[in-house]
Amino acid sequence: MGIMRLEATEKAELEEFRRMLLSCAAVHRRKDADTFGDRREALPARNGDVLDRMVCVTSGVSYLGIAIVNQLLVNGYSVRIIVDNEEDVEKLREMETSGEMRLNNSIVEVVMAKLTEVESLTEAFDGCRGVFHTAAFVDPAGLSGYSKAMADIEVNTSKNVVKACGLSPSVRHCVLTSSLLTCIWRDNTSDEVPRLIDHKCWSDEAVCINKKLWYALGKLRAEKAAWEIAKASGLKLITICPGLITGSDFYRRSPTSTIAYLKGVQEMYVYGLLATVSIDALAKAHVRVFEEMKKTASGRYICFDKVIERVDEVETLAAETGISAASVTGGASSSSRPQFELSNAKLTQLMLRRRRCENE
């Protein structure tokens, strides 16, 4: 199925789209739509509620965004992708042509909206039951790092997204992509710091500032602000806190976030806090957590596949990210490293519960 382009400010089109969803009718080409492809299929419905199958992904043209979009499409959702420039629209066209976007029988829409404007986002979210805010907009091509100014931008943008979700009459749930870095940066030399790090742990802002860990600071402040706004508005919010994202071609596509995440990598390695997650596993976690929000899922979820401990794991990571193994270890051996314990038990239990239900 082709991608239909929808201007967020066209309220008439939004109303038409809502009526189309509620009627469960076949998807017809609108005369004033800029349409990708030429096939039209009936919108798939599950559980008798077509509207529940329409969700929105911010920065859906990013590597993480596309991975989440693809997982949503595989699971029968229709997706509205937020972009803010024509270049991203063209990228999506190329992804459709190349097959990178797994279009099934679902609707995929491209909506022009500004992440800096609450009103623009509120209009873009209209008609969607859920929003996935990937926060991937902070990976602009050509930048060598993540600055303190970028941290401020991330905080403000996350605030806008959650505010817009709260104002939208249709949005019920929001999933925010945060980071494991919001949990691990504390005074780890202190004996009073708990050795177990799980979803209940928060990084110390002062530590992030003193070490100039702007990426960690931006994620930390953005997530905290999102929780405050969600609680005030009654919006159901879940945050996913992934380790360093890895996967085919990820570093080339998202160098800024990778480099920024790895600032302080020696200390993470020394304390047993350097964890990674594959892009596919992270995307699946986003969709599964969203689906469980109607039931028991709530709060924060730490997401990682492995903790980097062995020499061969360090070498693999170094090859994937283009950094040297020595810059990761700093000469420390695995036997000499004091260990913290990272726990993703909360997410693991949710994923296993979901798998058992599917097999029953």
Side-chain angles (χ1 to χ4, degrees), residues 130-158:
V131 172
F132 293 80
H133 180 44
T134 64
F137 74 100
V138 295
D139 302 331
L143 292 181
S144 59
Y146 185 106
S147 66
K148 189 175 181 180
M150 291 175 70
D152 293 335
I153 292 172
E154 175 144 18
V155 173
N156 291 332
T157 302
S158 292

Side-chain angles (χ1 to χ4, degrees), residues 58-59 82 84 113-118 120-121 125 133 137 156-158 160-161:
T58 67
S59 302
I82 300 293
D84 63 2
K114 297 294 184 182
L115 295 177
T116 55
E117 300 174 3
V118 174
S120 177
L121 289 168
F125 296 162
H133 180 44
F137 74 100
N156 291 332
T157 302
S158 292
N160 292 340
V161 169

